[in-house]
Amino acid sequence: MSESLTPLAPGTLAGKTALVTGSSRGIGADTVRYFAQAGANVVINFRNKAPRAEKLASELRDLGVEALVVGADLTDAESVQSMFDEVQRAFGTLDILVLNASGGMESGMAEDYALQLNRDAQVRVLETALPLLGEGSRVVFVTSHQAHFIRTTPTMPEYEPVALSKRAGEDALRDRIPALEERGIEFVVVSGDMIEGTITATLLERANPGAIAARREDAGKLYNVSEFAAEVALAAVEPIADDHTRLVGDTESFGGE
């Protein structure tokens, strides 16, 4: 097993509880797996893939940790509240909250769905989780360079609505940093370049054939799902920069903030 696949040392999160939104697959699933490998009890959140979430939970329980599976539509306030009610019953508190779930390129959704999910729902999840987040806990928001730098660096038209909504979500969360710090809650943004093998990359490639290969050539390397998830997991435990940002992968193609 390569080092990137065990980013956190075994036992370092023993006694801790971590929730990752959108964690039945992809980056979220690998992030939850890394937390469990480090001894954390985990909450696997999904929207509509219960069997996959349950399969992951079974795998992680074999590591000797507790794994709670909770379905929730993050754009629905009652659904989010129910999720955290279950977390409170199961664990009492939460030490790590990773805001990983995002979207906006799905077909058949309302015109403002990207904003609903990538801004409004992110803030709702954080605010609903606050009673469970004690001093020393940490919140991690996962985004992309294409969204993080959207104010200074244009992205492909197919992704622009998502990028703008994710940047709006990031800004709304950053506005809450002073209030979080008053409660002793740490906050960090993890921004990555396009990630090989994600649903977003697949949808972008379908809409704009060759886009991923072109970005790979420009960047020199693109992280895969497990490699980027390792960076997200590390962001939950490593010291946070003064600007509350962890940039993963090439940024030379992107302008400043």
Side-chain angles (χ1 to χ4, degrees):
M1 185 175 285
S2 70
E3 189 179 347
S4 67
L5 298 184
T6 50
L8 308 179
T12 52
L13 291 180
K16 306 282 190 183
T17 301
L19 185 155
V20 181
T21 62
S23 48
S24 66
R25 63 182 173 189
I27 293 163
D30 278 351
T31 303
V32 157
R33 186 177 286 112
Y34 297 144
F35 289 151
Q37 287 172 352
N41 295 320
V42 294
V43 183
I44 301 167
N45 159 250
F46 69 95
R47 189 179 67 184
N48 54 17
K49 302 289 183 188
R52 188 153 47 191
E54 292 289 356
K55 182 180 179 186
L56 176 61
S58 177
E59 173 196 329
L60 300 186
R61 288 177 192 128
D62 288 343
L63 298 173
V65 302
E66 293 184 57
L68 175 68
V69 176
V70 189
D73 176 356
L74 303 186
T75 64
D76 180 86
E78 285 186 19
S79 185
V80 171
Q81 184 63 60
S82 295
M83 173 171 70
F84 286 109
D85 287 346
E86 281 199 53
V87 175
Q88 185 160 24
R89 281 193 294 270
F91 301 116
T93 59
L94 196 57
D95 300 285
I96 297 169
L97 171 63
V98 179
L99 300 169
N100 165 71
S102 66
M105 293 190 70
E106 302 88 339
S107 57
M109 294 297 190
E111 192 175 337
D112 65 344
Y113 178 69
L115 263 180
Q116 284 184 42
L117 178 59
N118 297 330
R119 183 192 63 191
D120 302 347
Q122 306 301 319
V123 173
R124 177 184 299 113
V125 170
L126 173 60
E127 292 184 342
T128 311
L130 280 178
L132 299 180
L133 294 167
E135 191 165 348
S137 59
R138 187 174 295 191
V139 177
V140 181
F141 176 67
V142 181
T143 190
S144 65
H145 291 348
Q146 288 72 21
H148 180 68
F149 293 105
I150 187 63
R151 303 270 160 74
T152 52
T153 306
T155 189
M156 58 190 74
E158 297 85 359
Y159 190 65
E160 188 174 46
V162 175
L164 288 169
S165 65
K166 282 187 72 68
R167 182 66 220 205
E170 178 182 337
D171 290 344
L173 292 167
R174 284 183 183 274
D175 286 345
R176 284 157 174 77
I177 290 175
L180 293 174
E181 288 182 337
E182 279 184 24
R183 303 173 72 130
I185 301 169
E186 301 170 328
F187 177 83
V188 63
V189 171
V190 180
S191 177
D193 205 335
M194 287 184 187
I195 310 299
E196 303 259 19
T198 60
I199 294 167
T200 298
T202 301
L203 292 172
L204 279 172
E205 188 66 25
R206 194 175 298 160
N208 190 343
I212 305 303
R215 181 65 205 131
R216 188 187 307 117
E217 189 171 334
D218 285 347
K221 167 189 167 62
L222 294 180
Y223 280 62
N224 63 30
V225 167
S226 61
E227 289 169 336
F228 183 65
E231 293 289 335
V232 175
L234 287 167
V237 299
E238 291 188 344
I240 295 174
D242 290 342
D243 65 355
H244 297 270
T245 309
R246 184 185 184 101
L247 299 174
V248 179
D250 174 66
T251 58
E252 285 186 12
S253 309
F254 301 90
E257 290 284 358

